[in-house]
Amino acid sequence: MRNPGNTSTAETGTDSASGALSPEADPKYQVAVRALCEFTAKCGDLDLRFTPAPSAREGIAGHTLVTSRRGGSYQSEVTLNGQFGHLAVKGRADGYDPDLNQLEEIKTYRGDLARIPENHRQLHWAQAKVYGWLLCQKLGLSELKLALVYFDVGTLEETVLSEQHSAQSLQAFFEGLCTQFLEWSSLEMAHRKARNASLQALSFPHMDFRPGQRALAEAVYNSARSGRCVMAQAPTGIGKTQGTVFPLLKAMPAQRLDKVFFLAAKASGRSLALEAFTRLASHAAGSGHHSEHPVRVLEMVARDKACEHPDKACHGDSCPLAKGFYDRLPQARRNLLEHTLVDKAATRQVALAHGVCPYYLSQDAARWADVVVGDYNYYFDQSALLYALAQANDWRVGVLVDEAHNLVERARQMYSAELDPASLASARAQAPAALKSTLGRLQRSWEELHRDQEVPYQTHQEVPRKFTMALLQANAEMTEHMAQHPTGVPPALQAFYFEALQFSRMAEVFGQHSLFDITLAPELAGAGATLCLRNVLPAPFLAPRFAAAHCTALFSATLSPQDFYKDMLGLPDETVFIDVPAPFRAEQLSVQVVRNVSTRFRHREQSLRPLADLIAAQYARQPGNYLAFFSSYDYLEQARQLLADTHPHIPQWEQTRRMDEASRDGFLLRFRQESGGIGFAVLGGSFGEGIDLPGKQLIGAFVATLGLPQVNEVNEEIRKRMDLLFGDGHSYAYIFPGLRKVVQAAGRVIRTPEDRGVVYLIDDRFARPEVLALLPSWWKVEFTTLARRQPALTKPAASAEPDRDAPFTTAS
């Protein structure tokens, strides 16, 4: 839950660099006022009780309103800096009134001011005092009035707490904080120097680059030198992770990078990255240049994966690991950073040894790590921690985006919002009497949206203002109530509250990048409808993230066509694209297009027997391990059952709905060098990418689908929007996403230069030129006609059933 001490996170952007070294001959350690105070003055419990904080937009608006109320001589955003020893302290004070000789530190909040914890108030005063001394020094003042201005964004009222201080007392306070920070900053400067020396001497951890790996590494290194984005399409099996990590680390010293962020879509990607960093560290230690590799690598995991007490709330009165968290944090931080590779297990071990929360210890460690390995959301989400830290601390960062083809769908999810009528009904049922009225008004406004809707699904050009106002009012009243009653909030009410906040935020920025659609809920007998703000083009939200990084490398085996990914992700115009040649030979992989079988929905039943016979014939010809990919679980099960009935001697296993981690591991363990059989899987699922089965662990794949998204009302609206924006909605909505999944799945077969295998692409549409053009250039495609033919593939008569394969309706 987002809760920065009941104050707006917008304020984190008011300070300059933190933890950066100046490039001058006499190096200074640059630290932001906020970072200095948080490091030295924060104490007491970790307290994340429900205290609704203003959004960043509300925080900025609150600051603007407060300063607009001041006199004409009032100065806002006053840039200040000072020095103490090797520390260069920088920041911007919120405001200074020369007529009153008063410096103001403005904090926005919601609810009861008394609920702001005392340790947060101490931090606010510490910031005001540091700014106060820097202002006295700048203007030659002998004394100064300090004011904490707490602005309630709900009532628009100010509460001003003021204190008179002499310049001498402020100087003593400033120097006291700096003295506490000096030792740590000295260690950090020494670490940075040792890190850069180690990286300058670092060599590639293998005897030589794999074919194609050097070209990839050079592209990433050059992107760091030029400060640009690079899209690298590189085939599976060449070592993309090591080929991107190594060059960016080598570039860190010369390019003065503060941090490297390695962002992955899945846990498997994080694991590969940690293995690559471990291999580099071992190689550096064994090279004789340094006794150890002083690059701090931190793995960040989701809170539900790191929480030790999921049954307890995040505050000192409930969780023992929150009690006195900030008092024990300094020693835990110091011990944690003695490790160079801080994975989930290392963080947990140190955290429990010091009695602090592992999750929030890792969040603190992100400020001091050189490399952070985590999920996409840590940099690209709306409230992304790493992006916020980079902005607040003016870090110079290099970003690596693993399996970047996944970022399109993941980002769409990040910037979408949905309101479910069942969620509102549950919230109303659990809501206290004080909220019944506002939630009732919201429901009535909600029902007005779809009262005249005659079709199950309908899009609208905008979100009606009447509804957004009702939602804002409900949000405001829920916020005020929860601020007054931070404990005991009913779960259903809290869940709906967060959904409503997300919907409001996305409604504020609604545009051509998103759809607003209403889907009637038949199970509620006309009394409800699901509202969705569906992001279809994440580019406007992601573009600032790419612009903020010094350099970004996005890599994947499937980034074609490049314009599709540049358009969807909002990459800069000067982004470089490199297509790394495959190290494989065409004769290693037999690619067979079966052009007289259709896997269209209307032909599924006729396709089953030819499919089963094809799989059985290939297995008889060359026994071994195969993967068979289908478009749905139903289709998979029908094909699997027919193969079992007609060829019971062939071993088989299948992916099932909602497989847990242990079941997924069990599925993969069936692929052994000496075993044989057919693993049935859904295209685009857990086994269609990100798994490595070299040698005889996997010798072939059957792909019985083009992977096209189902033709339905939602996808047709996406097609129309893509057509409006880019002129080729059909390809953007259907063909490009579908063929990407096909190529990823087929890429499981050949993993090393020694592998050999076969891929069957089963559908007549694979023979079409526009489809063949999207297959890897090193493939030599051959065409196969099965002896057992289906009925002629012609367009069927009109039917009441919707055509789920409309993107390809022309006859073969």
Side-chain angles (χ1 to χ4, degrees), residues 11 19 27 49 68 76 133 144 165 171 176 234 303 365 389 396 472 508 647 747 792-793 804:
E11 296 150 12
R49 272 176 281 213
S68 70
S76 59
W133 162 244
L144 180 67
H165 288 271
Q171 180 182 9
R303 185 162 74 171
L389 287 175
R396 192 175 171 92
L472 285 172
E508 287 179 358
H647 305 279
L793 302 182
R804 303 191 185 191

Short mmCIF file of all heavy atoms in Angstrom, two decimals, residues 11 19 27 49 68 76 133 144 165 171 176 234 303 365 389 396 472 508 647 747 792-793 804:
data_model
loop_
_atom_site.label_atom_id
_atom_site.label_comp_id
_atom_site.label_asym_id
_atom_site.label_seq_id
_atom_site.Cartn_x
_atom_site.Cartn_y
_atom_site.Cartn_z
N GLU A 11 6.58 15.34 -3.62
CA GLU A 11 7.64 16.10 -2.99
C GLU A 11 9.00 15.46 -3.15
O GLU A 11 10.03 16.09 -2.94
CB GLU A 11 7.33 16.27 -1.49
CG GLU A 11 6.07 17.11 -1.29
CD GLU A 11 5.32 16.73 -0.04
OE1 GLU A 11 5.87 16.00 0.79
OE2 GLU A 11 4.19 17.18 0.11
N GLY A 19 23.84 10.39 -3.67
CA GLY A 19 24.70 9.24 -3.86
C GLY A 19 25.49 9.27 -5.14
O GLY A 19 26.00 8.26 -5.58
N PRO A 27 36.83 15.16 -5.78
CA PRO A 27 35.47 14.59 -5.84
C PRO A 27 34.64 14.94 -4.61
O PRO A 27 35.14 14.98 -3.49
CB PRO A 27 35.73 13.09 -5.92
CG PRO A 27 37.08 12.90 -5.32
CD PRO A 27 37.85 14.13 -5.67
N ARG A 49 -0.05 1.78 8.35
CA ARG A 49 -1.49 1.75 8.57
C ARG A 49 -2.18 2.62 7.55
O ARG A 49 -1.60 3.57 7.03
CB ARG A 49 -1.82 2.22 9.99
CG ARG A 49 -1.80 1.10 11.00
CD ARG A 49 -2.02 1.62 12.39
NE ARG A 49 -0.80 2.20 12.93
CZ ARG A 49 -0.47 2.16 14.22
NH1 ARG A 49 -1.26 1.56 15.08
NH2 ARG A 49 0.64 2.71 14.64
N SER A 68 0.46 30.04 -4.32
CA SER A 68 -0.31 31.10 -4.98
C SER A 68 -1.00 32.01 -3.97
O SER A 68 -1.38 33.14 -4.31
CB SER A 68 -1.35 30.49 -5.92
OG SER A 68 -2.39 29.85 -5.20
N SER A 76 9.25 30.80 -4.61
CA SER A 76 9.00 29.36 -4.52
C SER A 76 10.11 28.59 -5.21
O SER A 76 10.83 29.12 -6.07
CB SER A 76 7.66 29.00 -5.17
OG SER A 76 7.64 29.40 -6.53
N TRP A 133 19.39 26.32 7.21
CA TRP A 133 20.80 26.69 7.28
C TRP A 133 21.34 27.05 5.90
O TRP A 133 22.08 28.03 5.74
CB TRP A 133 21.65 25.58 7.89
CG TRP A 133 23.12 25.77 7.57
CD1 TRP A 133 23.91 24.97 6.85
CD2 TRP A 133 23.92 26.90 7.95
NE1 TRP A 133 25.17 25.51 6.73
CE2 TRP A 133 25.20 26.70 7.40
CE3 TRP A 133 23.66 28.07 8.68
CZ2 TRP A 133 26.24 27.62 7.57
CZ3 TRP A 133 24.69 28.98 8.85
CH2 TRP A 133 25.97 28.76 8.30
N LEU A 144 16.19 32.96 11.39
CA LEU A 144 15.19 32.60 10.38
C LEU A 144 14.01 31.91 11.06
O LEU A 144 14.20 31.13 11.99
CB LEU A 144 15.81 31.66 9.34
CG LEU A 144 14.93 31.16 8.19
CD1 LEU A 144 14.55 32.32 7.27
CD2 LEU A 144 15.66 30.07 7.39
N HIS A 165 14.62 30.18 14.73
CA HIS A 165 15.93 29.59 14.94
C HIS A 165 17.02 30.60 14.59
O HIS A 165 16.87 31.40 13.65
CB HIS A 165 16.12 28.35 14.05
CG HIS A 165 15.32 27.17 14.47
ND1 HIS A 165 15.78 26.25 15.37
CD2 HIS A 165 14.06 26.78 14.12
CE1 HIS A 165 14.86 25.31 15.55
NE2 HIS A 165 13.80 25.62 14.81
N GLN A 171 23.06 25.85 11.76
CA GLN A 171 24.34 25.34 11.27
C GLN A 171 24.78 24.13 12.08
O GLN A 171 25.26 23.13 11.52
CB GLN A 171 25.41 26.43 11.36
CG GLN A 171 26.77 25.96 10.86
CD GLN A 171 27.83 27.05 10.98
OE1 GLN A 171 27.61 28.11 11.59
NE2 GLN A 171 29.00 26.82 10.41
N GLY A 176 25.69 18.45 12.33
CA GLY A 176 25.48 17.21 13.07
C GLY A 176 25.00 16.08 12.17
O GLY A 176 25.49 14.95 12.24
N ALA A 234 17.72 -10.95 -31.08
CA ALA A 234 18.80 -11.94 -31.06
C ALA A 234 18.19 -13.31 -30.82
O ALA A 234 17.33 -13.48 -29.95
CB ALA A 234 19.80 -11.60 -29.96
N ARG A 303 6.13 -7.97 -2.69
CA ARG A 303 5.94 -7.99 -1.25
C ARG A 303 5.33 -9.30 -0.77
O ARG A 303 5.73 -9.83 0.27
CB ARG A 303 5.05 -6.82 -0.81
CG ARG A 303 4.93 -6.73 0.72
CD ARG A 303 4.44 -5.38 1.18
NE ARG A 303 3.02 -5.18 0.93
CZ ARG A 303 2.34 -4.14 1.40
NH1 ARG A 303 2.95 -3.22 2.11
NH2 ARG A 303 1.06 -4.01 1.15
N ALA A 365 17.79 -0.89 0.32
CA ALA A 365 19.03 -1.29 -0.32
C ALA A 365 19.08 -0.87 -1.78
O ALA A 365 20.17 -0.72 -2.35
CB ALA A 365 19.21 -2.81 -0.20
N LEU A 389 12.91 6.74 -7.56
CA LEU A 389 14.22 6.99 -6.95
C LEU A 389 15.17 7.63 -7.94
O LEU A 389 15.94 8.54 -7.59
CB LEU A 389 14.81 5.67 -6.43
CG LEU A 389 14.17 5.08 -5.18
CD1 LEU A 389 14.79 3.71 -4.88
CD2 LEU A 389 14.33 6.02 -3.99
N ARG A 396 21.95 8.61 -12.96
CA ARG A 396 22.23 8.31 -14.36
C ARG A 396 22.17 6.79 -14.49
O ARG A 396 23.02 6.08 -13.95
CB ARG A 396 23.62 8.84 -14.70
CG ARG A 396 24.00 8.88 -16.17
CD ARG A 396 25.37 9.57 -16.27
NE ARG A 396 25.96 9.51 -17.58
CZ ARG A 396 25.82 10.44 -18.52
NH1 ARG A 396 25.08 11.51 -18.27
NH2 ARG A 396 26.43 10.32 -19.69
N LEU A 472 -15.43 10.41 -8.07
CA LEU A 472 -14.52 11.25 -7.28
C LEU A 472 -15.10 11.55 -5.91
O LEU A 472 -14.39 11.54 -4.90
CB LEU A 472 -14.23 12.55 -8.03
CG LEU A 472 -13.29 12.45 -9.23
CD1 LEU A 472 -13.26 13.78 -9.99
CD2 LEU A 472 -11.89 12.09 -8.77
N GLU A 508 -8.52 10.42 -15.61
CA GLU A 508 -7.93 11.76 -15.71
C GLU A 508 -7.07 11.91 -16.95
O GLU A 508 -6.94 13.00 -17.51
CB GLU A 508 -7.08 12.07 -14.47
CG GLU A 508 -7.87 12.35 -13.22
CD GLU A 508 -6.97 12.62 -12.03
OE1 GLU A 508 -5.73 12.55 -12.19
OE2 GLU A 508 -7.49 12.92 -10.94
N HIS A 647 -3.19 -44.01 -30.31
CA HIS A 647 -1.77 -44.38 -30.20
C HIS A 647 -1.38 -44.43 -28.73
O HIS A 647 -0.58 -43.63 -28.26
CB HIS A 647 -0.89 -43.39 -30.96
CG HIS A 647 -1.28 -43.21 -32.40
ND1 HIS A 647 -0.90 -44.09 -33.39
CD2 HIS A 647 -2.04 -42.26 -33.01
CE1 HIS A 647 -1.38 -43.69 -34.55
NE2 HIS A 647 -2.09 -42.58 -34.35
N GLY A 747 11.15 -21.60 -31.07
CA GLY A 747 12.51 -21.35 -30.60
C GLY A 747 12.94 -22.21 -29.44
O GLY A 747 14.12 -22.20 -29.06
N ALA A 792 -12.69 -29.58 -48.30
CA ALA A 792 -12.11 -28.40 -48.96
C ALA A 792 -12.25 -27.18 -48.06
O ALA A 792 -13.30 -26.95 -47.44
CB ALA A 792 -12.83 -28.18 -50.29
N LEU A 793 -11.17 -26.38 -48.00
CA LEU A 793 -11.15 -25.21 -47.13
C LEU A 793 -11.76 -24.02 -47.85
O LEU A 793 -11.08 -23.20 -48.46
CB LEU A 793 -9.71 -24.91 -46.71
CG LEU A 793 -8.99 -26.05 -46.00
CD1 LEU A 793 -7.60 -25.62 -45.60
CD2 LEU A 793 -9.78 -26.49 -44.78
N ARG A 804 -14.60 -16.74 -35.31
CA ARG A 804 -13.48 -16.43 -34.42
C ARG A 804 -12.17 -16.26 -35.19
O ARG A 804 -11.17 -15.91 -34.61
CB ARG A 804 -13.32 -17.54 -33.38
CG ARG A 804 -14.57 -17.76 -32.56
CD ARG A 804 -14.31 -18.67 -31.39
NE ARG A 804 -15.54 -18.97 -30.68
CZ ARG A 804 -15.56 -19.57 -29.50
NH1 ARG A 804 -14.45 -19.95 -28.92
NH2 ARG A 804 -16.72 -19.81 -28.90
#
